Amino acid sequence: MRIITTRARLYRTLRSAYLERAHVLPEATILYRAKRYDFHESLVEGLTVVQAGPVRAAWLLARSKVTTLEINEPLMLSSVWGSALAISGLRARSLLGGPRATIVSYAMENSNPLVRPVGEEGRLRRFANSRLSRFVWRHTDRIAFGTDAARITYGSALRRPSAGTTSTVIPALPAPCACPVDSGPGEPRVVFLGALVARKGFPELLAAWPSVTALIPAARLTIIGKGALEDRARQAAEQDPTIEVIIDPPRSEIHAHLRRGTVLALPSQPTATWREQIGLPIVEGLAHGCNIVTTSETGLADWLTEHGHDVVAPGAGVPALANAVMHALQKRVGTGAADLPAVDGRLAADAWMFVGAR
């Protein structure tokens, strides 16, 4: 398949949220290497989507009429090889008389991956990735930061960009979802949405839940997602009638559960190689009016604290997390439309990145 649009997006992984967003954005070809755990094939209909490895993607771009290309952020080390190849292909095209392409990126990284500890075998790879990150950084024309934490991280990790780079901060906050509002308040409900893995704080939430229901017996926990800890989630639901588990439901069902939810809980825990950048479930919870319970790992931590949500330190312990969940349940009043922008922050960032693109 050839690229027939003048806009393109190069992603290492493709997930449903990206496809949903693509349906409301100007037409662009999406090139991707692999599907994420939450990918739903039905959302591809009506879009130009091409699965391609780094070399093939660079070849397709070099032969295309693309004038604006979005790449993964420069500090996403797993994608810098693909980004560097794509940039090189487009720059070679311009040297041979083709149009010069504008390279744009959306950045959320709030932890410098270039200083994380690595073993002896990983040092050479990190050295190469570091050079490639700086190459991609220098050749990015427009970069929108989703949080101020990301802007600070890039300033310390990669220093100043090239003189021709333009940057801005557009907070990754959602507009209120257009979902129909369910009638009347229901039971106090906590929703965990996302990958069922340890780094998302899923074990901590399960450990805290008995303390929550001991003081709020009517509280219910809805676990939505899939991942390595699915069996643990099912076992918890079998032993506790206040817990329900829904594995990999369609997007419409996810929206319905968020509408009924009082609290969205995502108590992310850092690892040696990972830190929560924003947390898409947090964004979706905000869009549906949920109170948020999370940790200070997310780049939105300051905004959430300022707007009355519950943010605890990672590793603060089960009692602290249980208290935060109970506090959020008892407020029973989630984020109002006045707290959120009229235009989704990611869509606003996209409009800024692609301004003037044909």
Side-chain angles (χ1 to χ4, degrees), residues 61-130:
L61 287 165
R63 300 177 63 206
S64 74
K65 297 181 180 179
V66 166
T67 57
T68 307
L69 172 68
E70 179 190 349
I71 59 172
N72 286 126
E73 60 180 302
L75 282 179
M76 186 174 175
L77 301 187
S78 60
S79 68
V80 291
W81 288 91
S83 297
L85 283 171
I87 291 170
S88 298
L90 289 171
R91 294 296 186 248
R93 184 190 68 177
S94 66
L95 291 174
L96 295 173
R100 185 190 183 282
T102 299
I103 308 300
V104 303
S105 188
Y106 182 72
M108 302 180 293
E109 183 60 73
N110 60 359
S111 176
N112 183 359
L114 303 178
V115 298
R116 291 170 184 159
V118 294
E120 190 69 30
E121 295 180 356
R123 290 180 183 176
L124 181 59
R125 179 182 299 174
R126 187 169 71 179
F127 176 81
N129 285 340
S130 173

Side-chain angles (χ1 to χ4, degrees), residues 40-342:
H40 287 276
E41 195 72 40
S42 61
L43 293 171
V44 172
E45 186 175 351
L47 301 175
T48 304
V49 178
V50 180
Q51 186 168 14
V55 174
R56 180 169 179 251
W59 173 248
L60 290 172
L61 287 165
R63 300 177 63 206
S64 74
K65 297 181 180 179
V66 166
T67 57
T68 307
L69 172 68
E70 179 190 349
I71 59 172
N72 286 126
E73 60 180 302
L75 282 179
M76 186 174 175
L77 301 187
S78 60
S79 68
V80 291
W81 288 91
S83 297
L85 283 171
I87 291 170
S88 298
L90 289 171
R91 294 296 186 248
R93 184 190 68 177
S94 66
L95 291 174
L96 295 173
R100 185 190 183 282
T102 299
I103 308 300
V104 303
S105 188
Y106 182 72
M108 302 180 293
E109 183 60 73
N110 60 359
S111 176
N112 183 359
L114 303 178
V115 298
R116 291 170 184 159
V118 294
E120 190 69 30
E121 295 180 356
R123 290 180 183 176
L124 181 59
R125 179 182 299 174
R126 187 169 71 179
F127 176 81
N129 285 340
S130 173
R131 295 299 180 268
L132 284 171
S133 288
R134 287 174 170 81
F135 172 84
V136 172
W137 177 239
R138 289 196 307 270
H139 287 84
T140 300
D141 299 293
R142 299 174 69 82
I143 185 162
F145 297 108
T147 65
D148 200 53
R151 179 189 62 79
I152 294 170
T153 297
Y154 271 82
S156 63
L158 298 177
R159 309 302 178 188
R160 292 184 178 181
S162 64
T165 300
T166 304
S167 66
T168 190
V169 177
I170 301 177
L173 294 169
C177 187
C179 281
V181 178
D182 289 342
S183 59
E187 57 204 353
R189 183 173 297 276
V190 175
V191 176
F192 176 92
L193 171 63
L196 302 178
V197 294
R199 72 174 189 268
K200 294 294 184 177
F202 180 61
E204 285 78 5
L205 182 60
L206 283 184
W209 188 246
S211 298
V212 174
T213 53
L215 291 180
I216 309 178
R220 298 293 181 267
L221 172 61
T222 300
I223 299 167
I224 306 172
K226 64 179 181 178
L229 299 180
E230 285 180 27
D231 288 344
R232 186 168 177 180
R234 291 190 178 97
Q235 183 180 25
E238 290 172 359
Q239 296 174 350
D240 187 340
T242 69
I243 300 175
E244 67 173 334
V245 177
I246 304 167
I247 302 299
D248 196 24
R251 294 291 296 168
S252 59
E253 188 174 340
I254 292 174
H255 281 246
H257 285 290
L258 288 172
R259 287 198 304 270
R260 292 194 288 269
T262 310
V263 173
L264 185 287
L266 191 75
S268 305
Q269 306 293 317
T271 71
T273 59
W274 179 85
R275 185 185 186 190
E276 188 74 76
Q277 296 175 343
I278 291 176
L280 181 59
I282 293 174
V283 174
E284 294 191 317
L286 289 172
H288 289 84
C290 295
N291 294 319
I292 305 299
V293 174
T294 188
T295 65
S296 52
E297 292 300 286
T298 171
L300 291 176
D302 289 344
W303 186 93
L304 291 168
T305 299
E306 292 168 2
H307 288 78
H309 297 275
D310 290 86
V311 178
V312 299
V318 168
L321 179 58
N323 287 336
V325 171
M326 287 186 285
H327 181 252
L329 282 171
Q330 290 165 341
K331 286 190 293 188
R332 300 302 301 274
V333 178
T335 302
D339 294 313
L340 299 176

